[in-house]
Amino acid sequence: MSVRNVAAVLVVRDRGLRGIFTEPDLLRRVVAESLDPAKTPVGDVITKRIIALDADRRGFEVAKLVHDRGIRHVAVTGLGQRGFGIVSIRDFPPADLAEYGRKIEFEEHLWEGL
């Protein structure tokens, strides 16, 4: 993760998405528990509850999911032979996030009025 400058990786086994390993997982489940990172199987410390969207979803939907769930990474499924991918909140320019935030607030306000 350090070499590639990424904060999360998807864990795939037998062509199935098994979990996500993030920097907070490393800190909370490995470092804080005094486990040896070189000897700890990643499968023992991953987050198994994965938030995923299909590849045909729009950026707005990803941003809304990130906002609503308070998460930083979303798995992407349905990528053909590549299988899976990941979208990070860092993939959205700050201006786009601000625009998505306004759209989300408008949508929530609209639904509250019904």
Side-chain angles (χ1 to χ4, degrees):
M1 290 169 58
S2 177
V3 169
R4 296 201 181 239
N5 193 31
V6 296
V9 293
L10 296 176
V11 179
V12 178
R13 185 169 188 181
D14 299 327
R15 295 186 153 194
L17 188 55
R18 301 295 179 228
I20 186 170
F21 184 69
T22 64
E23 287 176 333
D25 292 331
L26 175 64
L27 293 174
R28 293 182 190 130
R29 297 180 180 153
V30 179
V31 175
E33 297 295 325
S34 300
L35 300 175
D36 182 348
K39 295 180 181 176
T40 303
V42 72
D44 291 351
V45 291
I46 62 175
T47 296
K48 294 180 181 174
R49 293 187 64 195
I50 306 163
I51 306 297
L53 287 176
D54 193 66
D56 65 354
R57 296 295 186 97
R58 299 183 186 268
F60 174 78
E61 293 174 283
V62 177
K64 183 172 184 348
L65 184 63
V66 165
H67 174 270
D68 291 350
R69 299 281 180 104
I71 57 176
R72 295 186 293 178
H73 303 95
V74 176
V76 179
T77 60
L79 293 174
Q81 288 186 320
R82 292 181 64 196
F84 306 98
I86 192 166
V87 176
S88 168
I89 194 166
R90 295 184 338 190
D91 294 329
F92 294 96
D96 286 353
L97 285 176
E99 177 65 22
Y100 291 142
R102 286 190 292 277
K103 288 179 180 180
I104 290 167
E105 288 175 12
F106 174 76
E107 181 180 290
E108 289 171 351
H109 179 71
L110 180 67
W111 285 109
E112 287 173 4
L114 296 177

